[in-house]
Amino acid sequence: MSDSFRADNGPPNIQGMYSLKVDNITYRTTVEDLLAVFDRYGKVGDIYVPRDRRSGESRGFAFVRYFSRRSADEAMSRADGKVRSGAGQDLVWVWVGRRR
């Protein structure tokens, strides 16, 4: 995975990026699963999947950030409410909304 995505060295600079919140993802959904879905709409600058501190599992939502508003708008209109397959294993119900 590219260094532009979350790593152990802290959060990336997301200033100027356009954020989408993705709800109802499975607990096993990975950054790579989300990248496979959202990369088709434009260059993704960051994906953050918040994890439970104790279990390490996903908290059921993620943030996908794009460099351009056009890409974010396209992802929101095309991915909203779609069922996607994550790595051929988990089905992920993707609901996309703007983070404000």
Side-chain angles (χ1 to χ4, degrees):
M1 178 84 356
S2 166
D3 288 338
S4 65
F5 294 97
R6 296 280 163 134
D8 292 335
N9 59 356
N13 180 2
I14 59 170
Q15 186 174 355
M17 289 188 194
Y18 299 89
S19 295
L20 303 176
K21 183 180 180 200
V22 183
D23 284 323
N24 301 322
I25 63 174
T26 69
Y27 295 110
R28 291 179 286 186
T29 300
T30 66
V31 169
E32 291 80 9
D33 295 336
L34 292 168
L35 184 60
V37 171
F38 287 96
D39 192 45
R40 68 186 75 191
Y41 304 114
K43 184 168 170 80
V44 174
D46 179 58
I47 297 175
Y48 175 54
V49 180
R51 304 224 169 256
D52 182 270
R53 290 182 186 182
R54 291 182 211 146
S55 70
E57 291 182 333
S58 162
R59 292 178 53 200
F61 64 96
F63 296 99
V64 176
R65 296 178 178 103
Y66 287 96
F67 290 106
S68 79
R69 177 180 294 245
R70 183 176 181 190
S71 296
D73 287 343
E74 184 174 351
M76 192 161 67
S77 68
R78 293 188 181 219
D80 188 21
K82 303 292 190 237
V83 176
R84 301 289 184 193
S85 176
Q89 297 176 6
D90 300 323
L91 286 180
V92 180
W93 178 260
V94 178
W95 179 87
V96 180
R98 285 188 201 276
R99 182 171 183 221
R100 297 184 194 263

